[in-house]
Amino acid sequence: MSRKRARSMATFGYHASHEQFPPSELLQLLKVAQDAGFASGMCSDHFAPWSSRQGHSGHAWSWLGAALASTVLPMGVVTAPGQRYHPAVLAQAAATLAQMYPGRLWVALGTGQALSEHITGDRWPSKEERTRRLEECVRIMRALFAGQEVSHEGLVRVDRARLWSLPERPPILLGAAVGPATARRVAAWADGIITVNQPDDAHRETLAAYREAGGRGPAVLQAHLSWAPTREEALAAAHDQWREAVLGSDVGWEIPLPEHFEQAARLIEPSGVEPFVVVSDDLGHHTDWLARQASHGFDEVMLHQVGKGHQVRFVEVFGSEVLPELNS
């Protein structure tokens, strides 16, 4: 890692994985990340983990209040309005945090997964219907952030809702998109985009589709990686913790239970995980890959160490060895 790189214009944050750690431990990890030099934090909003081996799934919004109070980091969350959360309730939660911690919260909105949303017992809609429902929810949430009284009849229903405690500035709403088609669609309403790393850096196509469709604002990449003292250990950790999460096509959006994910992923070999997780014991390899993401046009890269082990060591080592290289 001795060769000089052009200074990255991106910032690098820490992804807090509720699926893998109890909320109390996750809060401590975020504090360690702040002390180590990570510029921001984020979490996803699940009701259940991908597998029983992960073993946790704290409530993201409860945790975010503690995270914002305990650090000075900007924070983001990926969530889904329309089924598990009524959009007015989600807007109230986001507005409350934005009022208490001005300018520090962003909210990424997606169509959701059955894994988290099936718990209501309502019918799980088709992808197209979920997309239209999301677009309705975005309009409702923006109207509420603007102080309007909202009534709505559609794929969601709202009766004379109004937010009484408003922030000076509402949180920005990012569109969550895994592929180009979704990216083009969210460009119509989003203040920015968040996506995840794909094999052969195919997430570049998602970002390009968003920009070509007129998408504005910041581009955030959730970067799954696995670092350990040896490459073998890093690959084993990625396979153990993240093989269920790499299920592609429509499978990952439709399966409702962690045990179903485990059954679907039982034949995935370690080599099948590696295209979706950057696996290496070499800090230079990770640094080069992260620098390349900044060069692709991502403004913020959120690092997710998918292995449960070495989490504190990962934060400390990347803080002392990788982040200075990226920011030099």
Side-chain angles (χ1 to χ4, degrees), residues 4 43 220-221 232 268 279 282 318:
K4 191 72 172 177
C43 68
V220 181
L221 178 69
E232 292 74 20
I268 296 178
V279 176
D282 180 1
F318 273 62

Side-chain angles (χ1 to χ4, degrees), residues 11-15 33 38-42 300-304 323:
T11 61
F12 298 86
Y14 178 71
H15 173 75
F38 285 78
S40 58
M42 70 162 283
E300 191 166 6
V301 183
M302 309 301 297
L303 280 61
H304 175 204
L323 296 185

Side-chain angles (χ1 to χ4, degrees), residues 74-116:
M75 295 296 301
V77 59
V78 183
T79 190
Q83 188 151 331
R84 182 167 46 119
Y85 294 121
H86 189 280
V89 173
L90 198 62
Q92 184 186 33
T96 296
L97 291 180
Q99 195 280 328
M100 291 193 293
Y101 307 103
R104 289 178 55 198
L105 178 71
W106 56 259
V107 181
L109 302 178
T111 59
Q113 295 173 287
L115 176 67
S116 294

